[in-house]
Amino acid sequence: MWSEIDIADATWTIPADRMKAKREHRVALNKEAITLLESLPRTHELIFPNSKGTILSDMTLTAVLRRMKRGDITAHGFRSTFRDWCSERTNNPRDVAEMALAHAIGDKVEAAYRRGDLFEKRRLMMRDWGKFSSQVQTGTCVLHIKKRVLLT
């Protein structure tokens, strides 16, 4: 939703009611994401509405990949590619990568003591991700995971 985006602060804040864990999640937007957002029309409250003006379903992305004859790719695979990039090509701590994906970190005891969200560290990581992902040619196989070819 456009109302969740703060271009000036380069932050996307997803409200708790739209998150699986029911906790607000902030996403640090890199330069590449801001450039994309600034290029889009603001004709609807949704950033990427479907043809009926409602939220895209997960099956919409799957259908696009099928029409592209890319049954070897899954929409969720893009998150997996990001996570593997964090582990294999950066020195970012595991917790920073996990928080970027809005994953729970540690057990209930650790979660009870964790107050921060590592946002500034995530901002630096997302800056690097933007640089990396914009340099890889479309269609280049980067990682092979569980017999699925994932693209960045």
Side-chain angles (χ1 to χ4, degrees):
M1 308 284 279
W2 283 111
S3 59
E4 298 169 358
I5 303 292
D6 182 340
I7 295 284
D9 191 44
T11 303
W12 172 22
T13 305
I14 307 166
D17 65 333
R18 291 200 329 102
M19 293 297 299
K20 185 192 281 188
K22 301 299 178 199
R23 292 183 52 191
E24 178 182 279
H25 180 65
R26 293 188 304 160
V27 177
L29 299 172
N30 56 38
K31 178 180 68 171
E32 293 77 10
I34 294 294
T35 299
L36 170 68
L37 290 168
E38 289 177 334
S39 74
L40 297 174
R42 292 187 184 216
T43 57
H44 197 280
E45 172 58 12
L46 293 171
I47 298 171
F48 299 106
N50 66 18
S51 60
K52 297 176 184 175
T54 60
I55 294 173
L56 290 170
S57 71
D58 60 342
M59 286 307 297
T60 301
L61 297 175
T62 300
V64 168
L65 292 169
R66 287 179 183 158
R67 284 193 299 274
M68 293 171 63
K69 308 278 190 242
R70 294 309 307 252
D72 56 333
I73 302 171
T74 66
H76 189 75
F78 292 105
R79 288 173 57 89
S80 179
T81 298
F82 169 77
R83 187 62 185 88
D84 286 338
W85 169 82
C86 291
S87 295
E88 296 176 11
R89 298 196 179 212
T90 78
N91 292 319
N92 290 303
R94 178 186 179 281
D95 287 2
V96 176
E98 290 298 302
M99 279 202 167
L101 292 166
H103 290 166
I105 298 173
D107 58 21
K108 290 181 181 182
V109 173
E110 183 178 357
Y113 286 97
R114 185 177 292 277
R115 300 286 184 254
D117 64 359
L118 305 173
F119 193 70
E120 291 310 314
K121 290 181 180 184
R122 290 192 290 128
R123 186 177 296 284
L124 294 173
M125 181 178 61
M126 296 313 291
R127 179 200 64 199
D128 293 343
W129 171 248
K131 289 177 186 175
F132 172 77
S133 61
S134 66
Q135 292 174 357
V136 176
Q137 293 181 359
T138 302
T140 302
C141 296
V142 178
L143 301 170
H144 296 275
I145 300 172
K146 296 182 182 176
K147 299 182 183 177
R148 291 187 175 142
V149 179
L150 306 177
L151 306 178
T152 58

